[in-house]
């Protein structure tokens, strides 16, 4: 572990990394979010001499992630990241919505210090648990890696803007596609492949209000047989924003496109990105490309609508 001057703060939020199973050979039939963050740290002897501080922010299976947990996590990360005695922050999380939380923290905080999310594909009780090594690697990156939000699993660090969960059970389930990984943890040391600009932070004030009152933003998919009726139903329910997971480079079924126009006319903000795992949506007229996933775009539209609400301006439709 390279020496860094300050502490690493480890924030626990649940997930399989904190999960337990009755049978050590069972990597599927387990319960996520059972062990506290101190317990996860205790399972990594190499962390015994590292200056650490632990805090349990939540204890959830990340498939059930809520805006309230996101708000609390962002607040606690921001609190610790400005402390003079803190070098970086690590968040232990579930893998299911890891990329969404990473992107949310990236867009809200865009921190100049390392904010590293880590997780595990197998529960802590597994015969070959991956959580302890991932946690150690995440702490290494928090002490010697780049500033900004990164996701660390299976010895690889990914930038929040590029990371996607690509596999349901493999230990190296995450990838960065065409963008490539940020770097690796090699023989216990950080090795950078590339750097990423920090981007602009929306700021904690954007998400200060009661999460129960945040704008409603839903994702709809363009697919064979799409009728657009789901869009009409969501419009009738008062949805504020819609993100379309479109085919290919951003094409939308004609029936769905007609319903989306009705939604726009009614004041709903609509954004279109590709449902493909990699490869951007392309605006043919302008040539502009947008490689955000539907879930990333949902975060951006949510933050845009929150900011517009705060300033009293109408969001772009
Ligand atoms: N359902 C779990 C979670 O996301 C899966 C995992 O962590 O791998 O919390």
């Amino acid at each position: 572990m390279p020496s860094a001057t300050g502490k690493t703060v480890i924030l626990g939020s649940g997930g399989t990394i904190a999960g337990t199973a009755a049978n050590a050979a069972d990597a599927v039939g387990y319960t996520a979010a059972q062990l506290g963050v101190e317990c996860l740290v205790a399972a990594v002897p190499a962390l015994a001499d590292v200056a650490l501080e632990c805090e349990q922010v939540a204890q959830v299976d990340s498939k059930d992630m809520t805006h309230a947990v996101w708000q609390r996590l962002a607040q606690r990360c921001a609190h610790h990241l400005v402390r003079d005695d803190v070098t970086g922050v690590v968040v232990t999380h579930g893998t299911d919505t890891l990329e969404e939380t990473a992107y949310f923290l990236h867009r809200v905080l865009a921190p100049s210090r390392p904010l590293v999310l880590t997780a595990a594909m197998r529960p802590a009780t597994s015969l070959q648990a991956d959580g302890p090594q991932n946690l150690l690697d995440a702490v290494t990156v928090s002490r010697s890696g780049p500033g900004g939000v990164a996701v660390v699993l299976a010895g690889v660090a990914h930038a929040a803007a590029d990371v996607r969960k690509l596999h349901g059970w493999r230990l190296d389930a995450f990838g960065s596609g065409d963008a490539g990984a940020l770097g690796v943890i090699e023989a216990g040391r950080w090795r950078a492949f590339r750097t990423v600009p920090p981007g602009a932070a929306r700021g904690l004030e954007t998400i200060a209000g009661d999460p129960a009152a945040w704008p409603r933003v839903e994702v709809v998919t363009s697919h064979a047989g799409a009728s657009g009726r789901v869009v009409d139903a969501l419009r009738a329910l008062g949805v504020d924003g819609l993100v379309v997971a479109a085919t290919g480079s951003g094409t939308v079924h004609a029936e769905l496109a007609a319903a989306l126009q009705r939604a726009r006319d009614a004041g709903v903000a609509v954004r279109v990105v590709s449902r493909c795992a990699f490869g951007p949506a392309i605006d043919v007229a302008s040539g502009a490309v947008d490689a955000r996933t539907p879930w990333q775009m949902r975060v951006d539209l949510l933050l845009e609508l929150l900011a517009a609400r705060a300033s009293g301006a109408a969001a772009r439709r």
Side-chain angles (χ1 to χ4, degrees):
M1 176 77 51
S3 55
T5 45
K7 290 180 188 169
T8 292
V9 176
I10 306 185
L11 304 178
S13 78
T16 293
I17 192 168
T20 57
N23 175 354
D26 193 347
V28 179
Y30 61 88
T31 310
Q34 300 300 299
L35 304 175
V37 61
E38 311 258 4
C39 196
L40 306 189
V41 171
V44 188
L47 289 178
D49 298 329
V50 182
L52 299 176
E53 202 176 294
C54 296
E55 180 180 325
Q56 196 74 43
V57 175
Q59 189 64 297
V60 293
D61 184 324
S62 83
K63 75 178 177 58
D64 301 319
M65 185 52 65
T66 65
H67 289 164
V69 173
W70 272 4
Q71 182 188 56
R72 177 99 186 120
L73 256 183
Q75 289 167 339
R76 297 313 294 160
C77 289
H79 168 84
H80 292 297
L81 283 166
V82 296
R83 284 172 48 186
D84 286 342
D85 60 337
V86 167
T87 299
V89 170
V90 168
V91 177
T92 59
H93 197 284
T95 63
D96 285 341
T97 55
L98 183 61
E99 69 203 67
E100 296 177 55
T101 301
Y103 191 73
F104 177 79
L105 295 172
H106 166 62
R107 297 293 290 117
V108 172
L109 302 176
S112 54
R113 290 183 184 172
L115 171 49
V116 187
L117 285 79
T118 193
M121 296 299 290
R122 293 181 181 158
T125 50
S126 168
L127 284 174
Q128 206 178 30
D130 52 329
Q133 182 70 54
N134 287 345
L135 179 56
L136 178 62
D137 289 346
V139 172
T140 299
V141 176
S142 79
R143 302 180 75 72
S144 51
V149 182
V151 165
V152 168
L153 270 100
V156 182
H158 306 272
D162 303 311
V163 67
R164 285 115 172 83
K165 185 174 179 179
L166 300 174
H167 201 280
W169 54 262
R170 276 168 50 165
L171 299 189
D172 60 342
F174 287 75
S176 294
D178 295 339
L182 267 183
V184 289
I185 302 88
E186 209 168 51
R189 290 183 179 277
W190 168 246
R191 181 156 74 90
F193 290 167
R194 66 186 180 101
T195 54
V196 279
R202 282 278 186 185
L204 271 184
E205 60 283 0
T206 309
I207 58 160
D210 178 2
W214 286 7
R216 190 85 232 152
V217 181
E218 300 287 349
V219 177
V220 295
T221 308
S222 189
H223 54 82
S227 71
R229 269 181 287 180
V230 69
V231 169
D232 292 332
L234 287 167
R235 177 168 53 87
L237 286 170
V239 75
D240 301 290
L242 288 171
V243 173
V244 186
T247 40
S249 54
T251 49
V252 178
H253 192 292
E255 296 283 327
L256 186 62
L260 290 166
Q261 190 54 51
R262 291 193 289 277
R264 277 194 195 91
D265 293 344
V268 179
V270 177
R271 301 288 181 271
V272 178
V273 288
S274 176
R275 71 180 201 183
C276 296
F278 297 106
I282 303 170
D283 184 86
V284 179
S286 67
V289 299
D290 192 335
R292 283 174 284 185
T293 66
W295 342 116
Q296 289 177 332
M297 183 57 101
R298 201 190 81 82
V299 166
D300 277 329
L301 183 52
L302 175 66
L303 296 174
E304 183 186 331
L305 290 169
L306 280 165
R309 187 188 274 181
S311 72
R316 178 171 63 86
R317 307 266 164 88

